[in-house]
Coordinates of all heavy atoms in Angstrom, one line a residue:
M229 N -6.4 -6.9 1.6 CA -6.1 -6.7 0.2 C -4.8 -5.9 0.1 O -4.5 -5.1 0.9 CB -7.2 -5.9 -0.5 CG -8.5 -6.6 -0.6 SD -8.5 -8.0 -1.8 CE -9.4 -7.3 -3.1
I230 N -4.0 -6.2 -1.0 CA -2.9 -5.4 -1.3 C -3.0 -4.8 -2.7 O -3.8 -5.3 -3.4 CB -1.6 -6.2 -1.2 CG1 -1.6 -7.4 -2.2 CG2 -1.3 -6.8 0.2 CD1 -0.3 -8.1 -2.4
T231 N -2.3 -3.7 -2.9 CA -2.4 -3.1 -4.2 C -1.0 -3.2 -4.9 O 0.0 -2.8 -4.4 CB -2.8 -1.6 -4.0 OG1 -4.0 -1.6 -3.3 CG2 -3.0 -1.0 -5.4
I232 N -1.1 -3.6 -6.2 CA 0.1 -3.7 -7.0 C -0.2 -2.9 -8.3 O -1.2 -3.1 -8.9 CB 0.5 -5.1 -7.4 CG1 0.7 -5.9 -6.1 CG2 1.7 -5.1 -8.3 CD1 1.0 -7.4 -6.4
T233 N 0.7 -1.9 -8.6 CA 0.5 -1.1 -9.8 C 1.3 -1.7 -11.0 O 2.5 -1.9 -10.9 CB 0.9 0.3 -9.6 OG1 0.3 0.8 -8.4 CG2 0.6 1.2 -10.8
I234 N 0.5 -2.0 -12.0 CA 1.1 -2.6 -13.2 C 1.2 -1.6 -14.4 O 0.1 -1.0 -14.7 CB 0.3 -3.8 -13.7 CG1 -0.2 -4.7 -12.5 CG2 1.0 -4.6 -14.7 CD1 0.8 -5.4 -11.8
E235 N 2.3 -1.5 -15.0 CA 2.4 -0.7 -16.2 C 2.6 -1.7 -17.4 O 3.6 -2.5 -17.4 CB 3.5 0.3 -16.1 CG 3.6 1.2 -17.3 CD 4.7 2.3 -17.2 OE1 5.0 2.7 -16.1 OE2 5.3 2.7 -18.2
D236 N 1.8 -1.6 -18.4 CA 1.9 -2.5 -19.5 C 2.9 -2.0 -20.5 O 3.4 -0.8 -20.4 CB 0.5 -2.7 -20.2 CG 0.4 -4.1 -20.9 OD1 1.4 -4.8 -21.0 OD2 -0.7 -4.4 -21.2
R237 N 3.2 -2.7 -21.5 CA 4.2 -2.4 -22.5 C 3.8 -1.1 -23.3 O 4.7 -0.3 -23.7 CB 4.4 -3.5 -23.6 CG 4.9 -4.8 -22.9 CD 4.9 -5.9 -24.0 NE 5.3 -7.2 -23.4 CZ 4.4 -8.0 -22.8 NH1 3.1 -7.7 -22.7 NH2 4.8 -9.2 -22.4
D238 N 2.5 -0.8 -23.4 CA 2.1 0.4 -24.1 C 2.0 1.6 -23.1 O 1.5 2.7 -23.5 CB 0.7 0.2 -24.7 CG -0.4 -0.1 -23.7 OD1 -0.1 -0.1 -22.5 OD2 -1.5 -0.4 -24.1
G239 N 2.4 1.5 -21.9 CA 2.4 2.6 -20.9 C 1.2 2.7 -20.1 O 1.1 3.5 -19.2
S240 N 0.2 1.9 -20.4 CA -1.1 2.0 -19.6 C -0.9 1.4 -18.2 O -0.1 0.4 -18.1 CB -2.2 1.2 -20.3 OG -1.9 -0.1 -20.5
R241 N -1.5 2.0 -17.3 CA -1.3 1.6 -15.9 C -2.6 1.2 -15.2 O -3.6 1.8 -15.5 CB -0.7 2.8 -15.1 CG 0.8 2.7 -15.0 CD 1.3 3.8 -14.2 NE 2.5 4.3 -14.9 CZ 3.1 5.4 -14.6 NH1 2.7 6.2 -13.6 NH2 4.1 5.8 -15.3
Q242 N -2.5 0.3 -14.3 CA -3.6 -0.2 -13.6 C -3.2 -0.6 -12.2 O -2.2 -1.2 -12.0 CB -4.2 -1.4 -14.3 CG -5.3 -2.1 -13.6 CD -5.9 -3.3 -14.3 OE1 -7.0 -3.7 -14.0 NE2 -5.1 -4.0 -15.0
D243 N -4.0 -0.2 -11.2 CA -3.8 -0.7 -9.8 C -4.6 -2.0 -9.7 O -5.8 -2.0 -9.8 CB -4.3 0.3 -8.8 CG -3.5 1.5 -8.7 OD1 -2.3 1.4 -9.2 OD2 -3.9 2.5 -8.2
L244 N -3.9 -3.1 -9.4 CA -4.5 -4.4 -9.1 C -4.7 -4.6 -7.6 O -3.8 -4.5 -6.9 CB -3.7 -5.5 -9.6 CG -3.7 -6.0 -11.1 CD1 -2.9 -7.3 -11.2 CD2 -5.1 -6.2 -11.5
E245 N -5.9 -4.8 -7.2 CA -6.2 -5.1 -5.8 C -6.3 -6.7 -5.7 O -7.0 -7.3 -6.4 CB -7.6 -4.6 -5.4 CG -7.7 -3.1 -5.6 CD -7.7 -2.4 -4.3 OE1 -8.4 -2.8 -3.4 OE2 -7.0 -1.4 -4.2
V246 N -5.4 -7.2 -4.8 CA -5.3 -8.6 -4.7 C -5.4 -9.1 -3.3 O -4.8 -8.4 -2.4 CB -3.8 -9.0 -5.2 CG1 -3.7 -10.5 -5.4 CG2 -3.5 -8.2 -6.5
P247 N -6.1 -10.2 -3.0 CA -6.0 -10.7 -1.6 C -4.6 -11.2 -1.3 O -4.0 -11.9 -2.2 CB -7.0 -11.9 -1.7 CG -7.7 -11.8 -3.0 CD -6.9 -11.0 -3.9
E248 N -4.1 -10.9 -0.2 CA -2.7 -11.2 0.1 C -2.4 -12.7 0.2 O -1.3 -13.2 0.1 CB -2.1 -10.5 1.3 CG -2.9 -10.8 2.6 CD -3.8 -9.7 3.0 OE1 -4.4 -9.1 2.1 OE2 -3.8 -9.4 4.2
D249 N -3.5 -13.5 0.4 CA -3.3 -14.9 0.6 C -3.7 -15.7 -0.7 O -4.0 -16.8 -0.7 CB -4.2 -15.5 1.7 CG -5.6 -15.2 1.5 OD1 -6.0 -14.4 0.5 OD2 -6.5 -15.6 2.3
I250 N -3.5 -15.0 -1.9 CA -3.9 -15.5 -3.1 C -3.1 -16.7 -3.6 O -3.5 -17.6 -4.3 CB -3.9 -14.4 -4.2 CG1 -4.7 -14.9 -5.5 CG2 -2.5 -14.0 -4.6 CD1 -5.0 -13.8 -6.4
N251 N -1.9 -16.8 -3.0 CA -1.0 -18.0 -3.3 C -0.7 -18.2 -4.8 O -0.9 -19.3 -5.3 CB -1.6 -19.3 -2.7 CG -0.6 -20.4 -2.6 OD1 0.6 -20.1 -2.5 ND2 -1.0 -21.6 -2.6
L252 N -0.3 -17.1 -5.4 CA 0.2 -17.2 -6.8 C 1.5 -16.5 -6.9 O 1.9 -15.7 -6.1 CB -0.8 -16.4 -7.7 CG -2.2 -16.9 -7.9 CD1 -3.0 -15.9 -8.8 CD2 -2.2 -18.3 -8.6
S253 N 2.2 -16.8 -8.0 CA 3.4 -16.0 -8.3 C 2.9 -14.7 -9.0 O 1.8 -14.7 -9.5 CB 4.4 -16.8 -9.2 OG 3.8 -16.9 -10.5
L254 N 3.8 -13.7 -9.0 CA 3.4 -12.5 -9.7 C 3.1 -12.8 -11.2 O 2.2 -12.2 -11.8 CB 4.5 -11.5 -9.5 CG 4.3 -10.1 -10.1 CD1 3.0 -9.4 -9.5 CD2 5.5 -9.2 -9.9
M255 N 3.9 -13.7 -11.8 CA 3.6 -14.1 -13.2 C 2.2 -14.6 -13.4 O 1.4 -14.2 -14.3 CB 4.7 -15.1 -13.7 CG 4.4 -15.7 -15.0 SD 3.3 -17.1 -15.0 CE 4.4 -18.5 -14.6
E256 N 1.8 -15.6 -12.5 CA 0.5 -16.1 -12.5 C -0.6 -15.1 -12.3 O -1.7 -15.1 -13.0 CB 0.3 -17.3 -11.5 CG 1.2 -18.5 -11.8 CD 1.4 -19.4 -10.6 OE1 1.4 -19.0 -9.5 OE2 1.5 -20.6 -10.9
L257 N -0.3 -14.2 -11.4 CA -1.3 -13.1 -11.2 C -1.5 -12.2 -12.4 O -2.6 -11.9 -12.8 CB -0.8 -12.2 -10.0 CG -1.7 -11.0 -9.7 CD1 -3.0 -11.4 -9.1 CD2 -0.9 -10.1 -8.7
L258 N -0.3 -11.9 -13.1 CA -0.4 -11.1 -14.3 C -1.2 -11.8 -15.4 O -2.0 -11.2 -16.1 CB 1.0 -10.7 -14.8 CG 1.8 -9.8 -13.9 CD1 3.2 -9.7 -14.4 CD2 1.2 -8.4 -13.9
K259 N -1.0 -13.1 -15.5 CA -1.7 -13.8 -16.5 C -3.2 -13.9 -16.2 O -4.1 -13.7 -17.0 CB -1.2 -15.2 -16.6 CG 0.1 -15.3 -17.4 CD 0.6 -16.7 -17.5 CE -0.1 -17.6 -18.6 NZ 0.3 -17.3 -20.0
A260 N -3.5 -14.1 -14.9 CA -4.9 -14.1 -14.5 C -5.6 -12.8 -14.7 O -6.8 -12.7 -15.0 CB -5.0 -14.5 -13.0
A261 N -4.8 -11.7 -14.7 CA -5.4 -10.4 -14.9 C -5.4 -10.0 -16.4 O -5.6 -8.9 -16.8 CB -4.6 -9.3 -14.1
E262 N -5.1 -11.0 -17.2 CA -5.1 -10.9 -18.7 C -4.0 -10.1 -19.3 O -4.2 -9.5 -20.4 CB -6.5 -10.5 -19.1 CG -7.5 -11.4 -18.5 CD -8.8 -11.7 -19.4 OE1 -9.1 -10.8 -20.1 OE2 -9.3 -12.8 -19.3
Y263 N -2.9 -10.0 -18.6 CA -1.8 -9.4 -19.3 C -1.1 -10.4 -20.2 O -1.2 -11.6 -19.9 CB -0.7 -8.9 -18.2 CG -1.2 -7.6 -17.6 CD1 -1.8 -7.6 -16.4 CD2 -1.0 -6.4 -18.2 CE1 -2.3 -6.5 -15.8 CE2 -1.4 -5.2 -17.7 CZ -2.1 -5.3 -16.4 OH -2.5 -4.1 -15.9
D264 N -0.5 -9.9 -21.2 CA 0.0 -10.8 -22.3 C 1.5 -11.3 -21.9 O 2.4 -10.6 -22.2 CB 0.1 -10.1 -23.6 CG 0.3 -11.0 -24.8 OD1 0.4 -12.2 -24.5 OD2 0.5 -10.5 -25.9
I265 N 1.5 -12.4 -21.1 CA 2.8 -12.9 -20.6 C 2.9 -14.3 -21.2 O 2.0 -15.1 -20.9 CB 2.8 -13.0 -19.1 CG1 2.5 -11.6 -18.4 CG2 4.2 -13.5 -18.6 CD1 3.5 -10.6 -18.4
L266 N 3.9 -14.6 -21.9 CA 4.0 -15.9 -22.5 C 4.2 -17.0 -21.5 O 3.6 -18.1 -21.5 CB 5.1 -16.0 -23.6 CG 4.8 -15.3 -24.9 CD1 6.0 -15.3 -25.8 CD2 3.6 -15.9 -25.6
A267 N 5.2 -16.8 -20.6 CA 5.5 -17.7 -19.6 C 5.8 -19.1 -20.1 O 5.3 -20.1 -19.6 CB 4.5 -17.8 -18.5
T268 N 6.5 -19.2 -21.2 CA 6.8 -20.4 -21.9 C 7.3 -21.5 -21.1 O 7.0 -22.7 -21.3 CB 7.8 -20.2 -23.1 OG1 7.6 -18.9 -23.6 CG2 7.7 -21.2 -24.2
C269 N 8.1 -21.2 -20.1 CA 8.7 -22.2 -19.2 C 7.8 -22.6 -18.1 O 8.2 -23.5 -17.3 CB 10.1 -21.8 -18.7 SG 10.0 -20.6 -17.4
G270 N 6.7 -22.0 -17.9 CA 5.8 -22.3 -16.9 C 6.2 -21.9 -15.5 O 5.7 -22.4 -14.5
G271 N 7.2 -21.0 -15.4 CA 7.6 -20.4 -14.1 C 8.8 -21.0 -13.6 O 9.0 -21.0 -12.3
M272 N 9.7 -21.5 -14.4 CA 10.9 -22.2 -14.0 C 12.2 -21.3 -14.1 O 13.3 -21.8 -14.0 CB 11.2 -23.5 -14.8 CG 10.0 -24.4 -14.8 SD 9.8 -25.2 -13.2 CE 11.2 -26.2 -13.2
A273 N 12.0 -20.0 -14.3 CA 13.1 -19.1 -14.5 C 14.0 -19.4 -15.7 O 15.2 -19.2 -15.7 CB 14.0 -19.0 -13.2
L274 N 13.3 -20.0 -16.7 CA 14.1 -20.4 -17.9 C 13.8 -19.7 -19.2 O 14.6 -19.8 -20.1 CB 13.9 -21.9 -18.1 CG 14.4 -22.9 -17.0 CD1 13.9 -24.3 -17.3 CD2 15.9 -22.8 -17.0
C275 N 12.7 -18.9 -19.2 CA 12.4 -18.3 -20.5 C 12.5 -16.8 -20.5 O 12.6 -16.2 -21.6 CB 11.0 -18.7 -20.9 SG 9.7 -18.0 -19.9
A276 N 12.4 -16.2 -19.4 CA 12.5 -14.7 -19.2 C 11.4 -13.9 -19.9 O 11.4 -12.7 -19.9 CB 13.8 -14.2 -19.6
T277 N 10.3 -14.6 -20.3 CA 9.2 -13.8 -20.9 C 8.4 -13.2 -19.8 O 7.4 -12.4 -20.2 CB 8.3 -14.7 -21.8 OG1 7.8 -15.8 -21.0 CG2 9.1 -15.3 -23.0
C278 N 8.7 -13.4 -18.6 CA 7.9 -12.8 -17.5 C 8.8 -11.6 -16.9 O 8.5 -11.2 -15.8 CB 7.5 -13.8 -16.4 SG 9.0 -14.4 -15.5
H279 N 9.8 -11.2 -17.6 CA 10.7 -10.1 -17.2 C 9.9 -8.8 -16.8 O 9.1 -8.4 -17.6 CB 11.7 -9.8 -18.3 CG 12.7 -8.7 -18.0 ND1 13.4 -8.1 -19.0 CD2 13.1 -8.2 -16.8 CE1 14.2 -7.2 -18.5 NE2 14.0 -7.2 -17.2
V280 N 10.1 -8.3 -15.6 CA 9.5 -7.0 -15.2 C 10.5 -6.1 -14.6 O 11.6 -6.6 -14.1 CB 8.3 -7.2 -14.2 CG1 7.2 -8.0 -14.7 CG2 8.9 -7.8 -12.9
Q281 N 10.3 -4.8 -14.7 CA 11.1 -3.8 -14.1 C 10.4 -3.4 -12.8 O 9.2 -3.1 -12.9 CB 11.4 -2.7 -15.0 CG 12.2 -1.5 -14.4 CD 12.2 -0.4 -15.4 OE1 12.1 -0.5 -16.6 NE2 12.4 0.8 -14.8
V282 N 11.0 -3.4 -11.7 CA 10.4 -3.0 -10.4 C 10.7 -1.5 -10.2 O 11.8 -1.1 -10.0 CB 10.9 -3.8 -9.3 CG1 10.2 -3.4 -8.0 CG2 10.7 -5.3 -9.5
N283 N 9.7 -0.7 -10.4 CA 9.9 0.8 -10.3 C 9.8 1.3 -8.8 O 10.4 2.3 -8.5 CB 8.8 1.5 -11.1 CG 9.0 1.3 -12.6 OD1 10.1 1.1 -13.0 ND2 7.9 1.2 -13.3
E284 N 9.0 0.5 -8.0 CA 9.0 0.9 -6.6 C 8.8 -0.4 -5.8 O 8.0 -1.3 -6.2 CB 7.8 1.8 -6.3 CG 8.2 3.2 -5.9 CD 7.0 4.1 -5.7 OE1 6.2 3.9 -4.8 OE2 6.8 5.0 -6.6
G285 N 9.5 -0.5 -4.7 CA 9.3 -1.7 -3.9 C 10.3 -2.8 -4.0 O 10.1 -3.9 -3.5
L286 N 11.4 -2.6 -4.8 CA 12.4 -3.6 -5.0 C 12.9 -4.2 -3.7 O 13.0 -5.4 -3.5 CB 13.6 -3.1 -5.8 CG 14.5 -4.1 -6.4 CD1 13.9 -5.1 -7.4 CD2 15.7 -3.5 -7.0
N287 N 13.1 -3.4 -2.7 CA 13.6 -3.9 -1.4 C 12.5 -4.6 -0.6 O 12.8 -5.1 0.5 CB 14.3 -2.8 -0.6 CG 13.4 -1.6 -0.4 OD1 12.2 -1.7 -0.7 ND2 13.9 -0.5 0.2
Q288 N 11.3 -4.6 -1.0 CA 10.2 -5.4 -0.4 C 10.3 -6.8 -0.8 O 9.6 -7.7 -0.2 CB 8.8 -4.8 -0.7 CG 8.6 -3.4 -0.2 CD 7.3 -2.8 -0.9 OE1 7.4 -1.6 -1.3 NE2 6.3 -3.5 -1.0
L289 N 11.0 -7.1 -1.8 CA 11.0 -8.5 -2.4 C 12.2 -9.3 -1.8 O 13.2 -8.8 -1.4 CB 11.2 -8.4 -3.9 CG 10.2 -7.6 -4.6 CD1 10.5 -7.5 -6.1 CD2 8.8 -8.1 -4.5
E290 N 11.9 -10.6 -1.8 CA 13.0 -11.5 -1.4 C 14.1 -11.4 -2.5 O 13.8 -11.2 -3.6 CB 12.5 -12.9 -1.2 CG 11.8 -13.1 0.1 CD 11.3 -14.5 0.3 OE1 12.0 -15.4 -0.2 OE2 10.3 -14.7 1.0
E291 N 15.3 -11.7 -2.1 CA 16.4 -11.6 -3.1 C 16.3 -12.6 -4.2 O 15.8 -13.7 -3.9 CB 17.7 -11.7 -2.4 CG 18.2 -10.4 -1.8 CD 19.6 -10.5 -1.2 OE1 20.4 -11.2 -1.8 OE2 19.8 -9.9 -0.2
A292 N 16.7 -12.2 -5.3 CA 16.7 -13.2 -6.5 C 17.6 -14.4 -6.2 O 18.7 -14.2 -5.7 CB 17.0 -12.5 -7.8
S293 N 17.2 -15.5 -6.7 CA 18.1 -16.7 -6.6 C 19.2 -16.6 -7.6 O 19.1 -15.8 -8.6 CB 17.3 -18.0 -6.8 OG 16.8 -18.0 -8.2
D294 N 20.2 -17.5 -7.5 CA 21.3 -17.5 -8.5 C 20.7 -17.8 -9.9 O 21.1 -17.3 -10.9 CB 22.3 -18.5 -8.1 CG 23.1 -18.1 -6.9 OD1 23.0 -16.9 -6.5 OD2 23.8 -18.9 -6.4
M295 N 19.7 -18.7 -9.9 CA 19.1 -19.1 -11.2 C 18.4 -17.9 -11.8 O 18.6 -17.7 -13.0 CB 18.1 -20.2 -10.9 CG 17.8 -21.1 -12.1 SD 16.8 -22.5 -11.5 CE 16.0 -22.9 -13.0
E296 N 17.7 -17.2 -11.0 CA 17.0 -16.0 -11.6 C 18.1 -15.0 -12.1 O 17.9 -14.4 -13.2 CB 16.1 -15.4 -10.5 CG 15.4 -14.1 -11.1 CD 14.4 -13.5 -10.0 OE1 14.2 -14.1 -8.9 OE2 13.9 -12.4 -10.3
M297 N 19.1 -14.7 -11.3 CA 20.1 -13.8 -11.6 C 20.8 -14.2 -12.9 O 21.1 -13.4 -13.8 CB 21.2 -13.7 -10.5 CG 20.7 -13.1 -9.3 SD 20.2 -11.4 -9.6 CE 21.5 -10.5 -8.7
D298 N 21.1 -15.5 -13.1 CA 21.8 -16.0 -14.3 C 20.9 -15.7 -15.5 O 21.4 -15.3 -16.6 CB 22.0 -17.5 -14.2 CG 23.2 -17.8 -13.2 OD1 23.8 -16.8 -12.8 OD2 23.3 -19.0 -12.8
M299 N 19.6 -15.9 -15.4 CA 18.7 -15.7 -16.5 C 18.6 -14.2 -16.8 O 18.7 -13.8 -18.0 CB 17.3 -16.3 -16.2 CG 16.3 -16.1 -17.2 SD 16.8 -16.6 -18.9 CE 17.2 -18.3 -18.7
L300 N 18.5 -13.4 -15.8 CA 18.5 -11.9 -16.0 C 19.7 -11.4 -16.7 O 19.7 -10.5 -17.5 CB 18.2 -11.2 -14.7 CG 16.8 -11.3 -14.1 CD1 16.8 -10.8 -12.7 CD2 15.8 -10.6 -14.9
D301 N 20.8 -12.1 -16.4 CA 22.1 -11.7 -17.0 C 22.2 -11.9 -18.5 O 23.0 -11.3 -19.2 CB 23.3 -12.5 -16.4 CG 23.8 -11.9 -15.1 OD1 23.5 -10.7 -14.8 OD2 24.6 -12.5 -14.4
T302 N 21.3 -12.8 -19.0 CA 21.3 -13.0 -20.4 C 20.5 -12.0 -21.2 O 20.5 -12.0 -22.4 CB 20.8 -14.4 -20.7 OG1 19.4 -14.5 -20.4 CG2 21.5 -15.5 -19.9
L303 N 19.7 -11.2 -20.5 CA 18.8 -10.2 -21.2 C 19.5 -8.9 -21.4 O 19.9 -8.2 -20.5 CB 17.6 -10.0 -20.3 CG 16.8 -11.2 -19.9 CD1 15.6 -10.8 -19.0 CD2 16.3 -11.9 -21.1
P304 N 19.5 -8.5 -22.7 CA 20.1 -7.2 -23.1 C 19.4 -6.0 -22.4 O 20.0 -5.0 -22.1 CB 20.0 -7.1 -24.6 CG 19.1 -8.2 -25.0 CD 19.0 -9.2 -23.9
D305 N 18.1 -6.1 -22.2 CA 17.4 -5.0 -21.6 C 17.2 -5.1 -20.1 O 16.4 -4.3 -19.5 CB 16.0 -4.8 -22.3 CG 15.1 -6.0 -22.2 OD1 15.7 -7.1 -21.8 OD2 13.9 -5.9 -22.4
A306 N 17.9 -6.0 -19.4 CA 17.7 -6.1 -18.0 C 18.6 -5.0 -17.3 O 19.7 -4.7 -17.8 CB 18.1 -7.5 -17.5
G307 N 18.1 -4.5 -16.2 CA 18.9 -3.6 -15.4 C 18.8 -4.0 -13.9 O 18.3 -5.1 -13.6
P308 N 19.3 -3.2 -13.0 CA 19.4 -3.5 -11.6 C 18.0 -3.7 -11.0 O 17.9 -4.3 -9.9 CB 20.1 -2.4 -11.0 CG 20.2 -1.3 -12.0 CD 20.0 -1.9 -13.3
D309 N 17.0 -3.1 -11.6 CA 15.6 -3.2 -11.1 C 14.8 -4.4 -11.7 O 13.6 -4.5 -11.5 CB 14.8 -2.0 -11.4 CG 15.5 -0.7 -10.8 OD1 16.3 -0.9 -9.9 OD2 15.3 0.4 -11.3
S310 N 15.5 -5.2 -12.5 CA 14.8 -6.3 -13.2 C 14.6 -7.5 -12.3 O 15.4 -7.8 -11.5 CB 15.7 -6.7 -14.4 OG 15.6 -5.8 -15.4
R311 N 13.4 -8.1 -12.5 CA 13.1 -9.4 -11.9 C 12.3 -10.3 -12.8 O 11.8 -9.8 -13.8 CB 12.3 -9.2 -10.6 CG 13.0 -8.5 -9.5 CD 14.2 -9.2 -8.9 NE 13.8 -10.5 -8.4 CZ 13.6 -10.8 -7.1 NH1 13.7 -9.9 -6.2 NH2 13.3 -12.0 -6.7
L312 N 12.3 -11.6 -12.5 CA 11.4 -12.5 -13.2 C 10.1 -12.6 -12.3 O 10.2 -13.1 -11.2 CB 12.1 -13.8 -13.4 CG 13.3 -13.8 -14.3 CD1 13.9 -15.2 -14.3 CD2 13.0 -13.3 -15.7
A313 N 9.0 -12.3 -12.9 CA 7.8 -12.3 -12.1 C 7.4 -13.7 -11.6 O 6.7 -13.8 -10.6 CB 6.6 -11.7 -13.0
C314 N 7.8 -14.7 -12.3 CA 7.5 -16.1 -11.9 C 8.2 -16.5 -10.6 O 7.8 -17.4 -9.9 CB 7.8 -17.1 -12.9 SG 9.5 -17.4 -13.3
Q315 N 9.3 -15.7 -10.2 CA 10.0 -16.0 -9.0 C 9.6 -15.2 -7.8 O 10.2 -15.3 -6.8 CB 11.5 -15.8 -9.3 CG 12.1 -16.7 -10.5 CD 11.8 -18.2 -10.2 OE1 12.3 -18.7 -9.3 NE2 11.0 -18.8 -11.1
I316 N 8.6 -14.4 -8.0 CA 8.1 -13.6 -6.9 C 6.7 -14.1 -6.4 O 5.8 -14.3 -7.2 CB 7.9 -12.1 -7.4 CG1 9.3 -11.6 -7.8 CG2 7.3 -11.3 -6.3 CD1 9.3 -10.3 -8.5
R317 N 6.7 -14.5 -5.1 CA 5.4 -14.9 -4.6 C 4.6 -13.7 -4.2 O 5.1 -12.7 -3.6 CB 5.6 -15.7 -3.3 CG 6.2 -17.1 -3.5 CD 5.6 -18.0 -4.5 NE 4.2 -18.4 -4.3 CZ 3.6 -19.2 -5.2 NH1 4.1 -19.5 -6.3 NH2 2.4 -19.6 -4.9
V318 N 3.3 -13.7 -4.5 CA 2.4 -12.6 -4.0 C 2.1 -12.8 -2.6 O 1.6 -13.8 -2.2 CB 1.2 -12.5 -4.9 CG1 0.2 -11.5 -4.4 CG2 1.5 -12.3 -6.4
N319 N 2.4 -11.8 -1.7 CA 2.0 -11.9 -0.3 C 2.0 -10.4 0.2 O 2.2 -9.5 -0.6 CB 3.0 -12.7 0.5 CG 4.4 -12.2 0.4 OD1 4.7 -11.0 0.4 ND2 5.4 -13.2 0.3
N320 N 1.7 -10.3 1.5 CA 1.4 -8.9 1.9 C 2.7 -8.0 1.9 O 2.5 -6.8 1.9 CB 0.7 -8.9 3.3 CG 1.5 -9.6 4.3 OD1 2.7 -10.0 4.1 ND2 1.0 -9.8 5.5
S321 N 3.9 -8.5 1.7 CA 5.0 -7.7 1.6 C 5.1 -6.9 0.3 O 5.8 -6.0 0.1 CB 6.3 -8.4 1.9 OG 6.5 -9.4 0.8
L322 N 4.2 -7.4 -0.7 CA 4.2 -6.7 -2.0 C 3.3 -5.5 -2.1 O 3.2 -4.9 -3.1 CB 3.8 -7.7 -3.1 CG 4.9 -8.5 -3.7 CD1 5.7 -9.3 -2.7 CD2 4.4 -9.5 -4.8
D323 N 2.6 -5.2 -1.0 CA 1.7 -4.0 -1.0 C 2.4 -2.8 -1.5 O 3.5 -2.4 -0.9 CB 1.1 -3.8 0.4 CG -0.1 -2.9 0.3 OD1 -0.8 -2.8 -0.8 OD2 -0.4 -2.2 1.3
G324 N 1.9 -2.1 -2.5 CA 2.5 -0.8 -2.9 C 3.5 -1.0 -4.0 O 4.1 -0.1 -4.5
L325 N 3.8 -2.3 -4.4 CA 4.7 -2.6 -5.5 C 4.3 -1.9 -6.8 O 3.1 -1.9 -7.1 CB 4.8 -4.1 -5.6 CG 6.0 -4.6 -6.5 CD1 7.3 -4.6 -5.6 CD2 5.8 -6.1 -6.9
K326 N 5.3 -1.4 -7.5 CA 5.0 -0.9 -8.9 C 5.9 -1.5 -9.9 O 7.2 -1.4 -9.7 CB 5.2 0.7 -8.9 CG 4.2 1.4 -8.1 CD 4.3 2.9 -8.3 CE 3.3 3.8 -7.7 NZ 2.8 3.6 -6.4
I327 N 5.3 -2.1 -10.9 CA 6.2 -2.8 -11.8 C 5.8 -2.4 -13.3 O 4.7 -2.0 -13.5 CB 6.1 -4.4 -11.7 CG1 4.6 -4.8 -12.0 CG2 6.5 -4.9 -10.4 CD1 4.6 -6.2 -12.5
R328 N 6.8 -2.6 -14.2 CA 6.5 -2.4 -15.6 C 6.8 -3.7 -16.3 O 7.9 -4.4 -16.1 CB 7.4 -1.3 -16.1 CG 7.2 -1.0 -17.6 CD 7.7 0.4 -17.9 NE 9.1 0.5 -17.9 CZ 9.8 0.6 -19.0 NH1 9.2 0.6 -20.2 NH2 11.1 0.6 -19.0
I329 N 5.9 -4.2 -17.2 CA 6.1 -5.4 -17.9 C 7.1 -5.2 -19.1 O 6.9 -4.3 -19.9 CB 4.8 -5.9 -18.5 CG1 3.9 -6.3 -17.3 CG2 4.9 -7.1 -19.4 CD1 2.4 -6.6 -17.7
L330 N 8.1 -6.0 -19.1 CA 9.2 -5.9 -20.2 C 9.3 -7.1 -21.1 O 9.8 -7.1 -22.1 CB 10.5 -5.6 -19.5 CG 10.7 -4.2 -18.9 CD1 12.1 -4.2 -18.4 CD2 10.5 -3.1 -19.9
G331 N 8.9 -8.3 -20.5 CA 9.1 -9.6 -21.2 C 8.6 -9.6 -22.7 O 7.5 -9.0 -22.9
V332 N 9.2 -10.2 -23.6 CA 8.8 -10.3 -25.0 C 7.5 -11.1 -25.0 O 7.2 -12.0 -24.3 CB 9.8 -10.9 -25.9 CG1 11.0 -10.1 -26.0 CG2 10.2 -12.3 -25.4
N333 N 6.6 -10.7 -26.0 CA 5.3 -11.4 -26.1 C 5.1 -11.7 -27.6 O 5.9 -11.5 -28.4 CB 4.2 -10.6 -25.6 CG 4.0 -9.2 -26.3 OD1 4.9 -8.7 -26.9 ND2 2.9 -8.6 -26.1
Ligands
FES283 S1 7.8 -17.8 -16.7 FE1 9.6 -18.4 -17.7 S2 11.1 -17.3 -16.6 FE2 9.3 -16.7 -15.7

């Protein structure tokens, strides 16, 4: 099991315990855990409603693709710690990750 800490838009925090072989994107995991993520594009890096800020563990993640970077560039509230949750695969390298949900809902 790995632990990912999620901070919702209202500031509430929860530690999610996840099997590392769950084979989901972080966006799919957030939706499965009943967070309010629109994911209008279905995970294609096109809608940015799965925008998250990575508070801890950014360097544990694989680098963002050009497509993800281009989409993040269009967001006024994106910063250097921003990622699209649909572009992150959940695996054991994510253990200890802390994120905050920012995408519009
Ligand atoms: S779900 Fe649309 S960009 Fe991630």
Side-chain angles (χ1 to χ4, degrees):
M229 295 288 256
I230 61 169
T231 305
I232 301 176
T233 304
I234 318 290
E235 184 178 331
D236 207 349
R237 298 173 185 86
D238 63 3
S240 60
R241 265 186 223 168
Q242 175 183 204
D243 288 342
L244 275 188
E245 303 252 315
V246 193
E248 60 255 38
D249 57 354
I250 193 166
N251 197 25
L252 291 178
S253 70
L254 184 57
M255 174 275 277
E256 291 165 329
L257 177 70
L258 291 172
K259 283 181 77 78
E262 307 213 327
Y263 285 96
D264 192 7
I265 310 280
L266 287 177
T268 325
C269 76
M272 304 294 289
L274 292 172
C275 71
T277 59
C278 68
H279 180 200
V280 298
Q281 177 185 335
V282 181
N283 294 326
E284 247 175 71
L286 191 63
N287 56 7
Q288 294 165 226
L289 304 176
E290 283 183 28
E291 279 187 34
S293 66
D294 289 347
M295 199 171 162
E296 181 180 352
M297 291 298 248
D298 287 349
M299 180 48 60
L300 288 168
D301 273 348
T302 69
L303 302 178
D305 58 344
D309 304 337
S310 287
R311 293 295 304 261
L312 297 177
C314 68
Q315 301 302 300
I316 297 171
R317 292 311 293 178
V318 176
N319 57 38
N320 57 7
S321 66
L322 268 57
D323 193 27
L325 194 76
K326 293 188 172 45
I327 62 154
R328 182 157 75 104
I329 295 174
L330 289 181
V332 292
N333 62 339

